[in-house]
Structure formats: C-alpha cells, structure tokens
Amino acid sequence: MGYVDVAGVGHTLPDGRELFAEVSFRVGEGAKVALVGPNGAGKTTLLRMVAGDLPVRTGAIARAGGLGVMRQFIGMIGDDSTLADLALSLAPPALRDAGRRLAETEAAMRAAEVRGKYSTAAGKAQLAYADALAAWGEVGGYDAEVLFDTVATIVLDLPWDAVRERPVRTLSGGQQKRFALELLLRGPDEVLLLDEPDNFLDVPGKRWLEARLRESGKSVLYVSHDRELLAQTADRVVAVEGGSAWVHPAGFASWHEARVARHARLDELRKRWDEEHQKLRELMLMYKQKAAYNDGMASRYQAAQTRLRKFEEAGPPPVPPKDQDIRMRLTGGRTGKRAVIAEQLELDGLTYPFDLELWYGDRVAVLGANGTGKSHFLRLLARGGTDPDPANIPVDGAKLAPVAHDGVVRLGARVRPGHFSQTHDRPELMARTLVEILWRGDEHRAGMDRHAAMAALSRYELAGQGDQRFGTLSGGQQARFLVLLLELSGATLLLLDEPTDNLDLASAEALEAGLNAFEGTVIAVTHDRWFTRSFDRFVLFRGDGEVVEMPEPVWDVA
C-alpha cells in the first residue's frame, strides 16, 4: 500500500522569504492528486520535499511504499548521460546503487585488462566485478533489465542492448518523457511523484498518459498545467497559492467554481473579522476613557484589553490570493512581406523535401508527433536559415547547434529571429540574477538600469525574483523570463518551441494576448490543444516524413 501524508509543512527560501506554510493533504492508496497553482508558488519545491530532495524543517511528511520520482526536466542529468544512466536514475535506491557499482567495476576491469590481462590488478578487478554482478542480481537487477528492454522496445522500437549506451540528448523531449513514464508506471514503486509529466509529449502521448494514469493502481501526486489532462485524471486537487495550500476534494472540472466560492467565503470572513476587530477596539477605548475618571471601570478596561489581545493573537482569516497580472509587450517590427521561404528543404533523416512560404503577420502552429523534425526546423530558422542575410542578425541563433539538411530556407528582409527553447537550455544565464542579466545586457540586448529592469520584471510578475539566480527559478518563472528577453531583443520572427509547457494558466493567457499584439510573424511548435486554437495556419510534420499544410489542427496522423 502506497500513500503520502503531508502535515503542516512550510518552507523558507535561502533569502529568508517564506514560500509557503501550513500545507496539509493526503495522497491515499491509488489516488491521483494534482498540484496546481501559479508559477513560483512552490509546487516543485513541495514535490522535492516529499521526494526527500529538500529537508522538512517545519511540519512532517510520511510515506509508505516505494517512491518513484520524475523531475521537471527529466533528461537533464548530464550532457554525456546515456539511457542506462537515465534508467538507473529512476530505479529504486538499492538497484540504482548496485547498477552504478556494476558499471564502475566493469570499466575498471576492462581498463586493468588493457594494461595486462593476467596481472594481479586485472584479477582483483575481475573479482570486484563478479561481486558487483552478484549484488546486481540480488537486488533484482535482471528483472529490471527485462523491464528496461520492454520499455526500450515500446518507446524506441529497439532492444535494450542496442540503445542502453545511446546519449539521452539524442532523444526528443517527448521520447525522454515517454521512456521515463513507461519505466515508472510499469515499475515496482507504489507511489509516483511526477513534475509536469505531460511536457514534451505530443497529443497522442498525452492521451496515452491520461489513460495510463486512470488505469494505474499506483498513488500519484503530480504537477500539470494541461487542463484537459487534469480534468481527465485528477481525483482531488491541491491548490498551492497565497503562501499556503487548500484541498478541493473533487476533480478539476469543478475546481474553478470551488476556487471562486472559496475566495468569496474568505472575503466575507475577513470582512466580519475586521468588523469584530473594530468593535472590540472601540469597546476597549471606551472603557479606557471611563477608567481614567472612574476606578470602578478599571477591571472592565483590563478585560476589554485582554479580549482584544487574544482576538488579535488568533489572527485574521487568510485573504484570497491576488490574481496574477502579467503584461507581455511583444512589439516586433515591420518586415518584408515574405518572412520565411523554404525551397525543397529536407531535414536529414526526418523529412522529405518540402516547400513552404510564410508571410509577415502569419501565426503558424507546427504540429506533429515527437521526433518528426519540428524543433530541428525551428533551430534552422533561428540560425538565420541556410544562407543568412547579414542584415538579419540571428537572436541567440549562433549558440544553436547546426542542423543537417539539404535544400534552402531563407528569411525575408528585416526578419530577426528570436528563439525560445522548450528545455530552457541557457547555461550562460544559470548563475546570474535576473536584474544582472537585464542590467548588463548582451550582444543582442542593450542593458538597462535597475529601476527599468525591476519595472520590466514587475510586468512579468518576477519582481520578487529580481535578485534570484536564473537557475534557481521554477520552470514557469524561467519560461516567463525567457519571453521577456525575447520582448527586449527586437526580434520580428518569434520561434517558440513548446512555450506553454511550463506556464500556468494566467501566464499562458498573457502570452496569447502578447502574441496577438505582436507586430511580426510567429511560428510555434506546440502540443497544447488550447493554445493551438489561437493560430491561423497549421503545418503538419507527419511521421512518414511528409510536411504538409492543413486547414485545421490535426493530431492523430502517423
């Protein structure tokens, strides 16, 4: 039986700010409980505390059953990590330790044999490897290899021995997520913690995840911003907002209505508290005035003081959390009529040659299954195309890896691309604070003084994180800040790779409003069914290598 009990938990940030307090809820056996709330409210932090990654200094967390954890950016465990590393990182602790020891002793044995096959060192290395092999079997390593093989065959259509040393970075984000989810859902752990498991999944993948969560007997606590997935899977909703959390005992379909009713109830309770506080204060002041010239009133004055003090010590009821007010001012600029021209463009091993012409002002959604070349296409455009015009200086494009291709893709006059990566892979920003990044600027953006930087951060609800390092932000906060950098860059062609994956509802709506006002061309790779409705052109990368334009969104095409 697997469960999680969270009782009175609080967390304080390193700078002394209280992130949340008095958070209590239970994930019972087989329950599917969703954590929702604004970006930066503490959802990922709470998951990390349940997982044991962060200490619990206030309150208590109890767990039963094996614990499987999938973190927000599942594949980011090292540039040279392999699928075997990823599989072990998701395995139970004993299996993980035995697997790492086995890999280390095998490498040491091979190195010793190269120096001398029959040397004493080689013999010791062989014995260490034999011990590690025995330990691997004792903790269930061979059963795990059967599971790894099953998952590799399902996700990559190849046996485990053929892919175990494959670098994780060669898989798309969706393949990484599907691989991890298959391992956890089929594995022995009875409790799963999933941080945005739907990110990077295509629509068929999201539908698969919805079905697997519904049919699974595991207890699952997860974070997601995909409203359809939440509506299809959540038994209960834990809303992390306003410095604490509250539990909605039903599904997501009724959560919005419950939240409105709760806020109205809190407003009424606070109004009544303020009225009672005022009455007690006036009563105390009246007795104080009377006690000044009538000693018989002193006891009543002291009693009124005591009553007021106890009332104030009990404290007022919580006020409803303030709704987010995010204002994205994506301005852009006028460009030539033709923004993107592709002629017999072929992405090596991904697509057949295709032609495409996009015009200034187009809003283009790029759809299709994972691994069909959509992100490669965006990266090629972000580098300025196949023959960049010196007048069209790529925004951050020079930092992107080359894309193997044939054919030609050109950008129109005055088209300056700005690229948003789905993985937020900006290592040059990780150790810098937001204010520092805006203050210093770079070759693509002029710097600004602290006052202007804080004003810009305030529009994105990031003023409180101004002196926080980019690498310590939540995924949604990172996404909002990267959109701000695009706003400041002067880009006239926005290339957005899954921009809503980590954004909460308010942020996603602000992004949609900003794109509607943007003077330029927008190309977005997305699996967000709601976000896709705001576009007017739809380019489909099919699984058979064909790239075609469709009159409306299409999801289930091989």
Side-chain angles (χ1 to χ4, degrees):
M1 181 179 71
Y3 68 84
V4 174
D5 265 326
V6 177
V9 167
H11 182 74
T12 302
L13 296 171
D15 61 6
R17 289 182 295 124
E18 186 179 72
L19 184 60
F20 52 74
E22 293 299 325
V23 173
S24 300
F25 61 89
R26 176 181 172 85
V27 183
E29 183 179 2
K32 310 299 182 291
V33 178
L35 285 176
V36 303
N39 296 137
K43 301 183 299 295
T44 294
T45 298
L46 193 54
L47 278 187
R48 293 183 64 198
M49 294 174 76
V50 175
D53 297 340
L54 290 175
V56 181
R57 296 191 171 89
T58 303
I61 295 177
R63 298 179 294 266
L67 187 67
V69 182
M70 190 182 76
R71 291 167 178 81
Q72 193 170 19
F73 297 111
I74 184 63
M76 295 186 177
I77 56 176
D79 290 342
D80 299 322
S81 61
T82 64
L83 273 182
D85 296 325
L86 176 56
L88 283 177
S89 73
L90 299 167
L95 189 65
R96 188 186 317 147
D97 294 341
R100 288 171 179 167
R101 183 186 169 206
L102 181 62
E104 291 169 358
T105 56
E106 183 178 11
M109 180 183 68
R110 289 177 178 174
E113 287 178 347
V114 168
R115 292 191 297 270
K117 188 173 182 179
Y118 300 106
S119 66
T120 302
K124 290 182 178 178
Q126 289 168 355
L127 287 175
Y129 175 68
D131 289 341
L133 202 60
W136 172 250
E138 289 173 0
V139 296
Y142 297 114
D143 290 336
E145 288 181 354
V146 173
L147 174 61
F148 298 163
D149 187 69
T150 300
V151 172
T153 303
I154 291 172
V155 177
L156 303 173
D157 202 26
L158 289 169
W160 179 240
D161 287 341
V163 299
R164 62 184 304 157
E165 298 304 322
R166 179 174 172 177
V168 175
R169 65 175 182 272
T170 64
L171 274 65
S172 70
Q175 288 173 320
Q176 293 177 22
K177 278 289 177 80
R178 182 71 182 270
F179 184 86
L181 286 167
E182 287 280 9
L183 281 178
L184 291 172
L185 288 166
R186 293 172 178 271
D189 295 315
E190 297 175 352
V191 177
L192 300 184
L193 306 180
L194 310 178
D195 197 352
E196 305 201 21
D198 53 288
N199 282 8
F200 309 121
L201 293 180
D202 52 25
V203 174
K206 291 184 178 186
R207 290 173 177 165
W208 163 84
L209 177 58
E210 290 166 2
R212 289 300 307 275
L213 286 177
R214 286 196 301 267
E215 70 188 19
S216 175
K218 297 177 184 291
S219 305
V220 184
L221 177 64
Y222 64 101
V223 173
S224 176
H225 299 302
D226 188 301
R227 292 179 297 174
E228 188 161 342
L229 182 138
L230 289 168
Q232 292 290 333
T233 58
D235 302 324
R236 275 180 293 148
V237 177
V238 177
V240 183
E241 56 181 0
S244 189
W246 60 280
V247 179
H248 175 53
F252 185 73
S254 58
W255 175 76
H256 291 282
E257 183 179 347
R259 183 173 185 266
V260 171
R262 179 177 185 269
H263 286 190
R265 186 168 64 255
L266 290 176
D267 277 333
E268 180 63 24
L269 289 174
R270 183 58 183 254
K271 180 181 177 181
R272 292 180 182 178
W273 189 92
D274 288 339
E275 291 173 352
E276 183 67 17
H277 182 245
Q278 182 64 23
K279 289 179 182 178
L280 291 176
R281 181 172 174 78
E282 289 174 354
L283 184 65
M284 181 272 295
L285 291 174
M286 180 193 72
Y287 282 126
K288 179 181 180 181
Q289 185 178 16
K290 290 185 176 182
Y293 58 83
N294 186 345
D295 292 341
M297 290 293 174
S299 60
R300 293 189 179 186
Y301 170 51
Q302 290 177 350
Q305 278 185 311
T306 301
R307 186 178 176 187
L308 176 62
R309 186 183 71 252
K310 290 183 177 180
F311 184 83
E312 290 177 338
E313 287 175 351
V319 296
K322 182 177 72 72
D323 288 332
Q324 296 185 87
D325 181 22
I326 301 169
R327 289 156 288 142
M328 300 181 179
R329 297 173 183 168
L330 297 161
T331 54
R334 185 73 197 187
T335 69
K337 290 184 178 180
R338 295 199 298 178
V340 176
I341 308 98
E343 299 171 345
Q344 291 298 289
L345 178 63
E346 179 181 5
L347 303 177
D348 288 2
L350 294 169
T351 73
Y352 291 118
F354 66 93
D355 297 328
L356 184 65
E357 192 171 62
L358 306 182
W359 299 83
Y360 166 78
D362 277 348
R363 300 295 190 264
V364 184
V366 181
L367 311 175
N370 289 322
T372 54
K374 304 183 302 297
S375 296
H376 290 72
F377 177 58
L378 249 59
R379 291 211 320 270
L380 183 58
L381 294 179
R383 289 174 59 86
T386 54
D387 186 18
D389 185 334
N392 300 347
I393 303 172
V395 177
D396 296 336
K399 300 173 184 177
L400 297 171
V403 178
H405 67 278
D406 289 313
V408 174
V409 61
R410 301 189 307 275
L411 303 184
R414 298 182 300 281
V415 173
R416 297 188 66 229
H419 182 253
F420 178 99
S421 169
Q422 64 179 156
T423 55
H424 306 174
D425 47 352
R426 299 292 297 274
E428 76 280 8
L429 304 180
M430 300 301 284
R432 299 167 64 190
T433 68
L434 306 192
V435 169
E436 180 187 1
I437 294 167
L438 297 180
W439 169 54
R440 292 188 176 181
D442 56 29
E443 65 268 30
H444 307 297
R445 294 175 296 275
M448 56 176 64
D449 61 34
R450 184 179 179 88
H451 177 76
M454 292 304 294
L457 292 172
S458 293
R459 287 192 293 103
Y460 281 72
E461 293 275 345
L462 291 171
Q465 290 74 40
D467 294 317
Q468 194 171 330
R469 293 190 303 276
F470 177 80
T472 66
L473 299 178
S474 72
Q477 289 171 329
Q478 287 186 358
R480 291 209 304 269
F481 185 71
L482 292 176
V483 174
L484 172 58
L485 295 186
L486 284 181
E487 173 187 308
L488 301 174
S489 70
T492 57
L493 169 64
L494 297 182
L495 304 168
L496 310 176
D497 198 352
E498 301 284 4
T500 62
D501 261 4
N502 295 290
L503 294 179
D504 57 37
L505 178 58
S507 301
E509 289 177 345
L511 175 61
E512 184 176 358
L515 294 180
N516 287 338
F518 176 68
E519 186 181 356
T521 307
V522 179
I523 305 174
V525 170
T526 183
H527 298 299
D528 186 328
R529 288 157 278 186
W530 165 70
F531 182 59
T532 301
R533 299 188 189 105
S534 64
F535 289 79
D536 51 33
R537 293 183 65 179
F538 308 97
V539 175
L540 176 66
F541 279 60
R542 295 169 54 106
D544 60 6
E546 296 287 349
V547 178
V548 295
E549 187 163 357
M550 306 296 290
E552 59 185 20
V554 176
W555 309 113
D556 298 314
V557 176

